Amino acid sequence: MIALAIDIGGTKLAAALVDSALQIIARREIPTPASQTPDALEAALRELVMPLSLRAQHFAVASTGIIQNGVLTSINPSNLGGLSHFPLVDCLSALTGLPGVALNDAQAAALAEYQQMPPAIRDMVFITVSTGVGGGVIHDGQLVTGSGGLAGHCGHTLADPNGPRCGCGRTGCVEAIASGRGIAAAAQGELAGLDAKAIFAHAARGNAQAVALIARSARTLARLIADLKALTDCQRVVMGGSIGLADGYLPQVQHYLAQEPSAYQTELCSARHQSNAGLLGAALWAQGHLQ
Ligand code: ADP
Ligand code: BMX
Ligand code: ZN
């Protein structure tokens, strides 16, 4: 069986053909459309999947947003250009003529990363630091999606009551400070208007403001990880997303985590599947959840 795996993020859309041994046979990526209306997203998905779908028997989507009954509902619509609802499974069924399933991107990545971990690890959290900050929780060896699909959305826990307003409606969420969008929104002067990738490039060249913005994100992540340890007793935290995987970011998070009391420390590592974790997790989910 070949799965057409699709990863929908706030910045990029990826698709891959994945075989039943979870090997990627083909892969493509396009930017998430700038105008994120339902029509624009549908057109982009068509462009993304058409070259691959004829070789697949089903599709499997990992998507940003709360995913329930195949429908995407944004918790932070500003990550998707204001798009708050999108009928993911119906749209992709119509585009491809295939059956399929969908789940949240970070939940999917948690599933893929948990595979092949030592059996002694029963509790793990995956965190993506990307356009937003997302999370997926493995509790006692099982992915926790929650009755409404919200479980693991740790980007919307409180980091600073005096912090910036988050697109989800709260103030001072982890995501509003630590995510790619959060880093970019706080940039001023010569860095104003740049995206997080460009700010990382400035930091690598020693720009003091860029270094401080990234340190603020990493410190916020470390506090989130301490909170997650207190909540879940996770034995390992796995970090993904383009910022989570960026050069030098994880060691900074580790540095700030080491300043927390020892009870709140946990093993921290980078996603083994790098930017493919969501795609592979969706393919894995489909193996168990497709009727
Ligand atoms: P998505 O949110 O669509 O899953 P990514 O995981 O690529 O996508 O995250 C996008 C965010 O990561 C953007 O804010 C972008 O500026 C930033 N980014 C992309 N590449 C890099 C990089 N090499 N280093 C640091 N930040 C990056
Ligand atoms: C947001 C939320 C999460 C998602 C996370 C990371 C939306 C649209 N998304 O917190 O569901 O997991 O961003 O998403 O409300 P990404 O686009 O950064 O991968
Ligand atoms: Zn929020």
Side-chain angles (χ1 to χ4, degrees):
M1 289 282 267
I2 305 279
L4 169 64
I6 300 156
D7 188 346
I8 300 176
T11 301
K12 64 182 194 313
L13 308 177
L17 291 174
V18 181
D19 70 14
S20 23
L22 290 184
Q23 297 301 308
I24 293 183
I25 304 166
R27 188 190 194 282
R28 41 192 273 116
E29 202 173 289
I30 61 173
T32 307
S35 142
Q36 285 139 337
T37 60
D39 286 354
L41 184 55
E42 182 179 342
L45 287 171
R46 179 182 292 113
E47 177 195 338
L48 178 73
V49 303
M50 277 312 157
L52 301 175
S53 64
L54 283 177
R55 294 159 67 192
Q57 280 82 54
H58 61 265
F59 66 83
V61 188
S63 175
T64 190
I66 299 164
I67 313 299
Q68 203 183 16
N69 301 322
V71 177
L72 182 172
T73 302
S74 298
I75 188 165
N76 183 356
S78 65
N79 283 3
L80 276 176
L83 188 64
S84 54
H85 290 279
F86 187 78
L88 268 178
V89 167
D90 282 355
C91 171
L92 282 155
S93 299
L95 285 177
T96 63
L98 299 171
V101 294
L103 84 164
N104 170 266
D105 54 0
Q107 292 173 354
L111 206 57
E113 291 295 320
Y114 185 63
Q115 240 217 340
Q116 292 173 16
M117 270 197 186
I121 298 192
R122 302 294 297 162
D123 300 297
M124 184 212 93
V125 178
F126 174 87
I127 304 176
T128 174
V129 190
S130 36
T131 311
V133 173
V137 175
I138 302 285
H139 168 67
D140 200 17
Q142 297 293 322
L143 176 69
V144 185
T145 57
S147 52
L150 183 63
H153 274 81
C154 57
H156 302 283
T157 57
L158 182 66
D160 176 3
N162 301 310
R165 201 160 162 76
C166 180
C168 75
R170 298 189 81 190
T171 295
C173 288
V174 168
E175 178 163 297
I177 297 169
S179 67
R181 288 281 176 86
I183 293 171
Q188 293 178 347
E190 57 183 344
L191 301 185
L194 297 182
D195 66 10
K197 185 175 183 179
I199 293 169
F200 269 79
H202 279 272
R205 293 195 292 271
N207 178 286
Q209 188 197 164
V211 168
L213 286 170
I214 292 161
R216 174 171 168 265
S217 166
R219 195 172 56 234
T220 303
L221 253 291
R223 290 177 179 151
L224 169 64
I225 291 166
D227 287 354
L228 289 168
K229 172 72 179 177
L231 203 63
T232 69
D233 198 11
C234 50
Q235 296 151 289
R236 190 177 284 183
V237 168
V238 179
M239 190 104 81
S242 287
I243 291 165
L245 296 169
D247 262 359
Y249 186 79
L250 189 130
Q252 280 199 58
V253 177
Q254 231 144 13
H255 163 81
Y256 290 114
L257 186 59
Q259 295 172 11
E260 296 282 342
S262 61
Y264 303 125
Q265 312 226 356
T266 186
E267 190 191 335
L268 188 56
C269 60
S270 290
R272 189 165 65 97
H273 297 298
Q274 301 276 294
S275 59
N276 291 325
L279 290 168
L280 294 174
L284 197 57
W285 181 254
Q287 288 179 4
H289 289 81
L290 200 62
Q291 281 89 20

